[in-house]
Amino acid sequence: MTTEERAIAALERHAASLRARLPSEVTALLRASLGWAGTDPARNSLTPGFPPLEYSFSTWHPDELRVTAQLFLNRPAPDRRRRTAELMHRLTGRQVIAKDGRARRFGAFFGITAGPAGLTGVEAYVEDVALAGHGLRPVFTGIGVRDGVPTRRSYLAVTEDVRPGDLPGVPGMRKALHSVAGGRTVLPAGSVMVTTGGTMRSVELLAAATGLTPTALPARLPRLRTAEYARWAAAIGADAAHLTVVSVRFDAHRGPGVAIYAVPRWASQAGPTSCFI
């Protein structure tokens, strides 16, 4: 079985274990778009050291299948960005404008979410080459459709050492950030990304900077002590899965939330880093 075949088979098993319906046409599009043939899948910008498929769990949508991928791996970054935008248009009917400028690093990532009734969201994470303020570096812009509603978010890497208490957020967010950081007084540059867009903002912490594992997180974050998280952790093989990112979120309508990103057991090779280092 090729790595691509293993990836799709694992994705289908993961969907089945979460009781999410992944439409067959979406699976077929993903299989055709991986573009791993003739490449080393571990050489990617999403999950370096692993094939570029990252699973996640969100306390806002605990019953969903959530997957992010770097598609068209055998294409240069500008072409990858264009093709990812075209794929999103094919699935949603909405145009994604890939800005002019040089996509030098990864071009784009692609994300899908699905629940029991089928596909619920599609998002293109388009490489951003714009300038930002002091201490921040743009990573990508997330342009998506969620339940028929368009979304747009900006993702900025923090390029300086930062204290958890200095990160943006409401009191509930700050408490969760403190729990994830585990008393660390300083988080190193490149280990934090902030997200803004609409009514939502988040702070994403690179797991390597916190020393956490999927099984250790519920002890620090009570919101993860649920049957849904336990089922997700079992589906990815949490004892051997590598945690990549912990995202602490706040939305004016939904309140605080947590999202967990991990590379599952089947793909384990070595500890991954992250695209926003």
Side-chain angles (χ1 to χ4, degrees):
M1 182 180 291
T2 67
T3 304
E4 291 167 298
E5 291 170 339
R6 291 180 66 201
I8 295 299
L11 178 61
E12 291 173 334
R13 289 195 304 270
H14 190 64
S17 66
L18 297 180
R19 298 190 287 275
R21 188 178 70 82
L22 190 62
S24 58
E25 62 270 24
V26 174
T27 304
L29 282 173
L30 288 175
R31 180 181 288 109
S33 304
L34 288 177
W36 293 354
T39 73
D40 177 2
R43 294 177 62 86
N44 69 84
S45 299
L46 179 65
T47 53
F50 292 81
L53 280 177
E54 186 176 49
Y55 294 82
S56 60
F57 172 86
S58 170
T59 57
W60 285 344
H61 304 286
D63 293 318
E64 286 188 341
L65 165 76
R66 294 161 46 92
V67 179
T68 305
Q70 184 173 359
L71 304 177
F72 311 108
L73 201 62
N74 56 2
R75 307 299 302 176
D79 192 28
R80 188 180 302 131
R81 184 171 61 177
R82 178 182 60 80
R83 289 173 181 245
T84 300
E86 290 172 351
L87 179 58
M88 183 173 169
H89 179 253
R90 182 171 177 178
L91 286 173
T92 67
R94 292 181 180 269
Q95 292 283 355
V96 175
I97 304 301
K99 298 178 181 178
D100 292 335
R102 297 178 181 177
R104 297 175 176 173
R105 301 182 66 209
F106 55 87
F109 302 138
F110 185 73
I112 59 169
T113 58
L119 203 64
T120 57
V122 178
E123 190 160 9
Y125 302 91
V126 181
E127 183 176 353
D128 198 339
V129 295
L131 298 176
H134 179 71
L136 296 173
R137 175 175 57 79
V139 182
F140 45 75
T141 299
I143 304 168
V145 177
R146 168 86 199 184
D147 295 326
V149 178
T151 62
R152 188 181 187 93
R153 293 190 286 269
S154 297
Y155 293 76
L156 303 166
V158 178
T159 58
E160 300 176 345
D161 292 353
V162 62
R163 293 179 298 180
D166 292 337
L167 291 167
V170 297
M173 263 183 93
R174 292 185 185 279
K175 183 177 179 180
L177 282 168
H178 179 76
S179 298
V180 175
R184 286 175 177 258
T185 57
V186 174
L187 294 167
S191 66
V192 180
M193 184 158 62
V194 296
T195 306
T196 59
T199 61
M200 193 273 274
R201 58 183 132 168
S202 69
V203 177
E204 303 195 356
L205 305 179
L206 187 64
T210 59
L212 290 171
T213 65
T215 52
L217 274 168
R220 293 194 187 178
L221 297 171
R223 288 180 177 274
L224 297 180
R225 298 174 196 166
T226 64
E228 292 88 353
Y229 180 75
R231 184 170 69 243
W232 178 83
I236 65 168
D239 290 339
H242 292 274
L243 191 67
T244 54
V245 173
V246 181
S247 177
V248 180
R249 306 177 167 195
F250 180 80
D251 182 275
H253 304 303
R254 291 171 288 189
V258 178
I260 310 303
Y261 297 78
V263 180
R265 183 195 304 266
W266 76 270
S268 296
Q269 295 178 29
T273 56
S274 169
C275 69
F276 59 89
I277 284 184

